[in-house]
Amino acid sequence: MPLPFNTADRASREAAAGPALPFDDRDRWRRPYRPGPWRVGAAALLLLLASYVLVAAVIIAATGELSGGAMCLGGALAVITVALRLLRTGVWVSARGLRRVGFLGTRTTRWEKVVVVRTLQRPVRWLGLPRTVQGQALVLVRRDRAADELAPLLTTHNADFLGRMEAFDRAADSVEAWAAEFGRG
């Protein structure tokens, strides 16, 4: 009986699948990598804070201060929203294109507009802060943009891949495989 959580069984299924993109539904948006420990840890701390604020909202509402309880509830919901948006950020791919989900906005590029997706050695921002360090970046070159506007999709020093070089290589290879498969237009 095949067990879906058995890694050996999953590896044999992936090896038997053959192509670089072993997904049945390629029209569904998916992230080709897992969120990193820095991103998950920050979201977990925010959710922990939200749980304390929710308990405070219940205590305040139980004492009769409904407006204060409602304000605490609103604050907790805002913190939960921030944590979920933090977990959602990253690069998503489908047969329709490449989607870069940021904290405040989302930008989608159709595969027909993509010239190349490649990895470059260059200075990158450390955990999104202004400080830059030498690292690798996966960049997207579009037909309608100048070559000097290479905003990185993924870097070796962002919240998903800091200290996880092998995970960055796998994610970059996966995004490049999606671009090679669908970017022929």
Coordinates of all heavy atoms in Angstrom, one line a residue, residues 64 92 100 158:
G64 N -16.6 44.1 30.9 CA -17.6 45.1 30.5 C -17.2 46.2 29.6 O -18.0 47.0 29.1
W92 N 5.6 32.4 -7.2 CA 4.6 31.4 -7.5 C 4.6 31.2 -9.0 O 4.8 32.2 -9.7 CB 3.2 31.8 -7.0 CG 3.1 31.9 -5.5 CD1 3.7 32.9 -4.8 CD2 2.5 31.1 -4.6 NE1 3.4 32.7 -3.4 CE2 2.6 31.6 -3.3 CE3 1.7 29.9 -4.8 CZ2 2.1 31.0 -2.2 CZ3 1.2 29.3 -3.7 CH2 1.4 29.8 -2.4
R100 N 5.1 37.2 -8.6 CA 5.9 37.5 -7.4 C 5.0 38.2 -6.4 O 4.5 39.3 -6.7 CB 7.0 38.5 -7.9 CG 7.9 38.9 -6.7 CD 9.1 39.5 -7.1 NE 10.0 39.6 -6.0 CZ 10.6 40.7 -5.6 NH1 10.4 41.8 -6.2 NH2 11.4 40.7 -4.5
N158 N 17.6 35.9 1.5 CA 16.3 36.3 1.9 C 15.8 35.4 3.0 O 16.4 34.5 3.5 CB 15.4 36.5 0.7 CG 15.0 35.2 0.1 OD1 15.3 34.1 0.6 ND2 14.2 35.3 -1.0

